[in-house]
């Protein structure tokens, strides 16, 4: 659990309710336009394993990989599927 407010709102994050988890944020960063968080995850914003220069590129979460399939099987939504921005580290249950 991580009791926190969603940035730019007054709503509690799904993390505050134990309904979300972030997995390896550096290798699976949050990407919105030209903003990448965490800062040391910039190299992993390139999600194509063949083009990514990151040492841990084989640990990136991708649609239909093992991590994705396990979480989806249990009813979680992946932030990498979102349209407006990508939160590759994030899985949440609605």
């Amino acid at each position: 659990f991580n009791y926190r407010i969603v940035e730019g709102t007054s709503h509690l994050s799904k993390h505050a309710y134990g309904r979300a988890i972030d997995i390896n944020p550096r290798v699976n960063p949050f990407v919105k336009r030209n903003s990448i968080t965490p800062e040391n995850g910039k190299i992993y914003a390139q999600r194509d394993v063949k083009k990514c220069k990151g040492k841990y590129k084989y640990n990136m979460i991708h649609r239909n990989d093992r991590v994705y399939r396990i979480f989806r099987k249990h009813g979680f939504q992946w932030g990498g599927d979102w349209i407006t921005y990508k939160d590759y580290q994030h899985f949440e249950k609605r």
Side-chain angles (χ1 to χ4, degrees):
F1 296 95
N2 183 357
Y3 188 85
R4 63 184 167 112
I5 305 293
V6 175
E7 187 176 330
T9 75
S10 59
H11 300 86
L12 283 174
S13 163
K14 291 211 184 321
H15 293 277
Y17 298 103
R19 298 187 61 82
I21 186 169
D22 290 341
I23 299 174
N24 201 349
R26 178 179 175 212
V27 178
N28 299 294
F30 173 88
V31 180
K32 185 174 184 181
R33 290 184 221 111
N34 294 328
S35 176
I36 299 166
T37 306
E39 179 86 17
N40 68 354
K42 284 187 177 184
I43 196 166
Y44 297 103
Q46 169 51 261
R47 302 306 289 176
D48 183 337
V49 175
K50 293 177 184 169
K51 295 178 182 176
C52 179
K53 304 285 188 208
K55 179 178 178 180
Y56 303 106
K57 63 186 176 183
Y58 294 107
N59 296 322
M60 294 189 296
I61 299 169
H62 288 94
R63 180 178 287 138
N64 294 320
D65 71 9
R66 177 185 246 175
V67 172
Y68 177 92
R69 288 191 319 267
I70 290 169
F71 275 91
R72 293 291 294 162
K73 176 181 176 183
H74 294 282
F76 284 78
Q77 180 185 51
W78 182 45
D81 286 333
W82 296 346
I83 304 299
T84 312
Y85 55 87
K86 302 294 183 181
D87 196 353
Y88 295 110
Q89 64 196 269
H90 186 86
F91 285 91
E92 70 178 45
K93 197 138 187 186
R94 298 249 170 204

